[in-house]
Amino acid sequence: MLKNHFKIAFRNLWKHKAFSFINIMGLTVGMSACFLIGLYVHFELSYDNFHSKSDRIYRLVTDIKTPSETLEVDVTTWAFAPGMKNDFPEVEAFTRINAANFNVRKGNIQFKEEKAFFADSSLFKVFDFQLLNGNPSTALKEQLSVVLTEKTARKYFGNTDPIGQILFLSADTLAATVTGVMKNIPENSQIKADMFISMSTFTRKLNKKLDENWGDFGATSYLLLKPGSIAKTLQKKLPAFLESHAGKMFKESHVVYILSLEPLRQVYLRSNRGGAEKGNAANIYIFSAVAIFILLIACINFINLSTARSAERAKEVGIRKTFGAGKILLARQFLVESVLISILAFILSLLLSSSLIPWFNNLAGKTISYGILENALFVPGLFISAIVIGLLAGIYPALILSSFEPVKVLKGRFTTGFKGILLRKSLVTIQFSISIILIIATLIVYTQMTFMRDRDLGFSKDQMLIINSEGAPNRAVFRQSLDGLAGIQSTAASSSIPGGAFNGAYSEIENKSGDFQVGHLGLYLVDFNYMPQYKLKMAAGRIFSKDFGTDTTDAMIVNEAAVKLLGYSSPEEAIGKKFKQWGHEGKIIGVMKDFHFVSLHETIKPLTMRIDPANSNLISVKIEGNNIRKTLDIVENQWKLLMPNRPFSYYFADEFFDRQYRSEERFEKLFFNFAILAIFISCLGLLGLASYSTIQRTKEIGVRKVLGASTGNIVGLLSKDFLSLVLLAFVIASPLAFYGMNKWLQNFAYKTNIQWWIFAAAAILSVIIAFGTISYLSIKAALMNPVKSLQAE
């Protein structure tokens, strides 16, 4: 019997190729989109789960409370983690990492390694970074020990054994020994390193006694707790721990530290602090909802297309019932057809998804998957889903088609009831409500990204070439050699540029009450050219000038946010106030207008600037835009001439700053593409209902044409009902889209307003899409010869 069902199902599908194609294509696209989104969501949720002890690993973070503010940072001082290991039996092990970059040389092979990290010897005890060669217990124990990933080892040593070989770091000043080779770190790891250098190199050789420092922040610390230990219980003991070790120092500096433990698995998506890489939990929820919406639309589309053919198949049902076919048998036949369509769509979706994975990886900006078989449970899961979708989507058409009365059907009196019509219209309304939500959301995401790209940031970043001199002794000579060369307008040196990392400095500044207000403020170390070159504007006072000899020792410029923090009502009031910072004392000589030195996700924080060329390693070169390639060649030649042992690397300030919005840009692209898919499937559903309605009203159209109705009248008649459904969907979708996207915009400190035109554009666009979808069938029906339409009467 089942074989017979499949045979009839195949014949029926082949007989009605157009309907079958639309049905299968809708489900195929829906399943493929759901499969790809599922891969993306699974990947984002899997960050750091590959560590076997991930449920016991915690990141140690700090709240720094000063009299004026609280800073929530993702780092600790260097002594916190070792102190906790000594004091608390709950701590099985700890490891600290610190990002670095080095010029690395092996013979004539030389590269700039930007993914280098200092790490404690316990790194491989805490994390499951698999060593292929070397002892995980001792690989990072000795000073100047280096562990490389496979690809990094191959880059320097080819196919030869790197263990025991020497690599020269930091312009040949450090001779490091390769003590291990590890597997390439998975993509879903927050720690993405190409090489690890022993932490003792940093804390004992380069910065002696740093391990004993309770006030200098910079270490990203991880704790591995013993099985059965409760993180919340340990966290309650930390205030007493800090008081016993450094309470006196905290009181003298008027600072309070609060330590917290963040579960490793939650850091990527849940932490509101910084990190090497950050995800967005809201985006995960949005994409999960989009996947459900797309699959729901596909199922609705399937139901509508199946019922659209009910009039055509009514006589088939009548004849089969006349010959003794029961309702259950008929329902089973239609369910088999439904499941068959789902299985065919499943097979096609696997092929489509497989071909789209490289494109999807590129769109997501990371390697989500290497192939459909990489995630073993995904394919069986999708197959089971296909069967369930086939059964659920086929139940309603099966019940409707199998319940036709053969006498009425064979007499040509087949009509559907009000409930059936209401259900189909409701389904189309739901489809277009979802589509309109996605249209509105896409427009809001686009306007927010445009707002971020076009907003006045308060500084100039165009045509600004950035070179990191990394403390090279002759960096000042190199910089001076560029002045006056063809294509170069000016040069400047600094410790930071907008969008990059910057120092936080313990500062004491005279406030409105005349007291020294303590704060942990941002600090840019710059030279005299920096402010003019970046076109930073002043709100009061003056910029640094070589005409004032004291500017190099006891002058500071603050931004407007710092002025507000100090309690002054105007920038002018802060001029001449005293400060103490990192061993320097002096007076504020100017207040610069606020500029966005971090992304628009964050409000502008207090910032200070001081003259200190000796610690300004970043060289900013303002170049002309007419021949960038030639200018780059000139700069590179000067670099090779003065620093032949260092590789030349550079980036542009505008591209560097815009990297902060890459995740939003990827979200925008992904959202737009999946919104298009959802709209496409919705159009197929509308096409199904339009087809059904046209078939039902064929004779009515013929009568109207005989009585003189024009083609326009007929098209308007058939379109009116569908367009009213779209407008109803708009009314339902608009408040839902407004609420959801308003919540999404809360992730940005500076955001655009949701404009009325977005909803007007969505309404117009949805009407155009709907009319474009049904116009073909409407026009075709209107042009049909009425004699042919009425020939059955």
Side-chain angles (χ1 to χ4, degrees):
M1 182 62 71
L2 190 61
K3 179 181 178 182
N4 187 54
H5 282 327
F6 275 106
K7 186 183 293 185
I8 295 173
F10 273 112
R11 287 175 181 172
N12 190 57
L13 292 176
W14 186 254
K15 181 180 179 181
H16 305 281
K17 300 181 186 68
F19 270 106
S20 300
F21 174 79
I22 294 173
N23 239 336
I24 294 171
M25 184 56 61
L27 278 178
T28 298
V29 173
M31 288 182 184
S32 299
C34 198
F35 183 81
L36 293 174
I37 292 176
L39 287 177
Y40 176 80
V41 171
H42 177 267
F43 178 84
E44 291 291 286
L45 293 175
S46 70
Y47 260 76
D48 296 311
N49 286 355
F50 63 90
H51 298 295
S52 60
K53 306 166 189 171
S54 60
D55 59 326
R56 295 193 283 127
I57 301 174
Y58 293 82
R59 185 173 73 166
L60 189 64
V61 296
T62 317
D63 290 349
I64 305 172
K65 299 186 71 172
T66 70
S68 57
E69 61 182 339
T70 299
L71 300 176
E72 297 179 343
V73 298
D74 61 317
V75 293
T76 68
T77 70
W78 298 92
F80 284 176
M84 291 182 65
K85 175 67 174 69
N86 291 332
D87 286 19
F88 299 114
E90 299 99 317
V91 179
E92 182 177 321
F94 76 90
T95 190
R96 299 163 299 175
I97 64 171
N98 182 249
N101 61 73
F102 285 105
N103 291 318
V104 180
R105 184 179 66 82
K106 168 66 172 66
N108 295 324
I109 303 172
Q110 187 171 216
F111 292 98
K112 182 179 176 66
E113 298 293 347
E114 297 184 345
K115 293 183 179 180
F117 289 85
F118 291 105
D120 283 302
S121 59
S122 52
L123 175 75
F124 299 106
K125 182 176 183 180
V126 176
F127 295 111
D128 290 348
F129 297 131
Q130 185 180 346
L131 274 185
L132 302 174
N133 203 346
N135 187 333
S137 301
T138 60
L140 292 173
K141 187 174 183 180
E142 301 299 327
Q143 294 183 24
L144 293 173
S145 298
V146 174
V147 173
L148 307 176
T149 60
E150 288 179 276
K151 65 177 182 180
T152 307
R154 196 174 298 114
K155 184 167 62 176
Y156 289 102
F157 300 100
N159 295 324
T160 61
D161 184 8
I163 300 298
Q165 299 285 341
I166 301 296
L167 285 176
F168 291 96
L169 314 179
S170 189
D172 296 354
T173 58
L174 300 173
T177 304
V178 179
T179 54
V181 176
M182 64 182 180
K183 288 187 69 174
N184 295 329
I185 293 178
E187 186 80 21
N188 57 343
S189 172
Q190 289 184 77
I191 304 172
K192 290 186 171 67
D194 290 330
M195 62 188 303
F196 287 112
I197 305 142
S198 55
M199 181 62 76
S200 58
T201 307
F202 187 70
T203 59
R204 297 176 192 171
K205 182 176 181 62
L206 302 179
N207 299 273
K208 294 182 178 180
K209 296 187 177 180
L210 193 60
D211 282 334
E212 304 165 17
N213 192 312
W214 290 82
D216 189 1
F217 283 79
T220 302
S221 303
Y222 295 92
L223 303 178
L224 174 65
L225 303 189
K226 291 180 180 177
S229 298
I230 301 174
K232 290 183 178 179
T233 303
L234 175 60
Q235 188 166 308
K236 291 178 182 179
K237 302 176 183 180
L238 298 183
F241 162 76
L242 290 176
E243 179 64 28
S244 65
H245 285 281
K248 183 180 179 181
M249 183 190 75
F250 298 157
K251 289 176 182 176
E252 291 174 351
S253 59
H254 306 288
V255 176
V256 175
Y257 295 156
I258 300 174
L259 292 177
S260 303
L261 297 174
E262 291 184 334
L264 178 66
R265 291 179 178 177
Q266 296 183 15
V267 171
Y268 177 69
L269 287 176
R270 304 293 179 183
S271 177
N272 59 357
R273 302 169 193 264
E277 189 175 4
K278 292 292 294 176
N280 190 320
N283 289 354
I284 298 301
Y285 295 137
I286 289 172
F287 278 123
S288 298
V290 168
I292 295 171
F293 285 162
I294 289 177
L295 205 55
L296 177 61
I297 289 173
C299 291
I300 292 173
N301 169 53
F302 179 81
I303 292 172
N304 276 337
L305 287 173
S306 297
T307 54
R309 289 186 52 219
S310 59
E312 185 180 342
R313 301 196 66 181
K315 289 185 179 180
E316 174 195 339
V317 172
I319 293 171
R320 294 183 68 180
K321 277 196 169 184
T322 301
F323 281 92
K327 185 175 181 179
I328 295 176
L329 183 65
L330 288 170
R332 191 165 60 192
Q333 172 64 53
F334 293 124
L335 280 175
V336 167
E337 290 184 19
S338 176
V339 171
L340 179 61
I341 289 173
S342 290
I343 292 174
L344 291 174
F346 162 74
I347 295 170
L348 291 175
S349 71
L350 289 183
L351 298 175
L352 181 61
S353 299
S354 180
S355 64
L356 289 177
I357 280 177
W359 165 83
F360 187 66
N361 287 337
N362 183 60
L363 196 64
K366 55 182 77 174
T367 305
I368 302 297
S369 176
Y370 291 99
I372 58 173
L373 299 178
E374 182 183 0
N375 301 89
L377 297 178
F378 264 67
V379 174
L382 188 63
F383 178 75
I384 294 172
S385 299
I387 300 296
V388 173
I389 289 170
L391 292 173
L392 292 178
I395 284 175
Y396 173 72
L399 293 177
I400 293 298
L401 292 172
S402 63
S403 63
F404 292 159
E405 296 182 27
V407 176
K408 291 183 179 180
V409 167
L410 294 175
K411 285 184 177 182
R413 298 175 185 172
F414 165 67
T415 58
T416 53
F418 172 76
K419 291 182 179 179
I421 295 172
L422 180 63
L423 177 62
R424 284 188 290 276
K425 288 185 175 182
S426 299
L427 292 177
V428 169
T429 303
I430 292 171
Q431 277 187 316
F432 261 85
S433 295
I434 295 172
S435 298
I436 292 169
I437 287 174
L438 294 176
I439 291 172
I440 293 172
T442 300
L443 291 174
I444 292 174
V445 170
Y446 173 78
T447 55
Q448 174 62 18
M449 292 305 301
T450 302
F451 171 81
M452 291 166 65
R453 285 188 286 258
D454 297 344
R455 182 177 172 85
D456 181 9
L457 299 172
F459 68 94
S460 173
K461 58 183 173 67
D462 297 329
Q463 309 303 144
M464 200 77 73
L465 180 70
I466 311 299
I467 304 166
N468 190 347
S469 67
E470 298 179 357
N474 51 347
R475 64 185 182 279
V477 176
F478 165 73
R479 198 200 121 196
Q480 291 168 6
S481 73
L482 299 179
D483 292 331
L485 294 180
I488 296 175
Q489 297 180 8
S490 61
T491 61
S494 63
S495 61
S496 307
I497 66 165
F502 57 93
N503 292 318
Y506 178 81
S507 309
E508 297 178 67
I509 304 178
E510 187 179 353
N511 62 20
K512 189 171 184 178
S513 303
D515 301 321
F516 274 96
Q517 185 166 325
V518 175
H520 197 79
L521 308 184
L523 171 63
Y524 273 28
L525 301 175
V526 302
D527 68 357
F528 290 102
N529 292 351
Y530 185 82
M531 295 187 70
Q533 182 164 307
Y534 277 89
K535 296 182 180 179
L536 300 179
K537 300 180 179 69
M538 298 298 292
R542 63 176 178 84
I543 65 172
F544 298 114
S545 173
K546 293 179 181 179
D547 296 335
F548 297 85
T550 56
D551 279 7
T552 58
T553 55
D554 58 7
M556 174 184 281
I557 292 177
V558 300
N559 66 351
E560 292 172 303
V563 169
K564 293 176 184 177
L565 181 69
L566 296 167
Y568 296 113
S569 55
S570 68
E572 288 77 11
E573 292 181 29
I575 303 300
K577 301 305 179 183
K578 298 177 181 179
F579 76 87
K580 299 177 183 178
Q581 187 185 70
W582 276 6
H584 293 265
E585 296 185 24
K587 294 182 179 181
I588 295 174
I589 64 167
V591 176
M592 57 188 162
K593 289 188 175 182
D594 284 338
F595 68 95
H596 292 278
F597 57 94
V598 293
S599 77
L600 296 180
H601 290 98
E602 304 176 39
T603 56
I604 297 175
K605 299 292 195 304
L607 180 68
T608 64
M609 278 190 185
R610 288 194 292 105
I611 293 291
D612 190 353
N615 289 299
S616 300
N617 292 327
L618 296 179
I619 299 172
S620 301
V621 183
K622 180 72 172 179
I623 64 176
E624 296 175 358
N626 51 0
N627 197 335
I628 295 176
R629 184 66 261 173
K630 183 178 179 181
T631 305
L632 284 173
D633 291 339
I634 292 172
V635 174
E636 184 175 5
N637 289 336
Q638 288 298 111
W639 178 274
K640 290 180 177 178
L641 179 66
L642 297 171
M643 291 183 253
N645 295 325
R646 293 173 178 265
F648 176 70
S649 62
Y650 64 90
Y651 53 89
F652 285 94
D654 54 352
E655 295 176 355
F656 182 78
F657 190 87
D658 291 343
R659 286 178 192 172
Q660 301 172 106
Y661 308 123
R662 279 185 178 174
S663 61
E664 281 75 27
E665 290 172 350
R666 290 165 184 158
F667 173 78
E668 179 187 20
K669 291 178 181 177
L670 285 169
F671 199 93
F672 174 78
N673 281 276
F674 287 119
I676 293 296
L677 287 178
I679 293 167
F680 169 74
I681 300 171
S682 293
C683 289
L684 289 179
L686 187 61
L687 184 68
L689 190 58
S691 174
Y692 176 83
S693 178
T694 302
I695 292 171
Q696 290 288 86
R697 303 179 73 172
T698 299
K699 293 180 176 60
E700 176 192 346
I701 294 168
V703 172
R704 288 180 179 273
K705 290 204 71 177
V706 170
L707 296 177
S710 66
T711 300
N713 296 142
I714 301 299
V715 172
L717 176 71
L718 294 175
S719 303
K720 181 179 66 175
D721 290 343
F722 301 118
L723 295 181
S724 64
L725 293 179
V726 174
L727 293 176
L728 175 61
F730 173 77
V731 172
I732 296 170
S734 295
L736 296 175
F738 178 85
Y739 174 79
M741 294 313 295
N742 190 54
K743 295 283 286 183
W744 179 76
L745 286 172
Q746 301 309 312
N747 293 318
F748 302 89
Y750 301 92
K751 54 186 179 292
T752 184
N753 295 319
I754 300 178
Q755 303 289 340
W756 66 269
W757 67 262
I758 292 175
F759 296 92
I764 294 170
L765 188 59
S766 58
V767 169
I768 291 173
I769 291 171
F771 185 76
T773 302
I774 62 179
S775 60
Y776 168 74
L777 290 173
S778 300
I779 294 171
K780 182 180 178 182
L783 294 176
M784 185 180 293
N785 188 337
V787 175
K788 187 176 181 180
S789 301
L790 298 171
Q791 65 183 355
E793 291 294 333

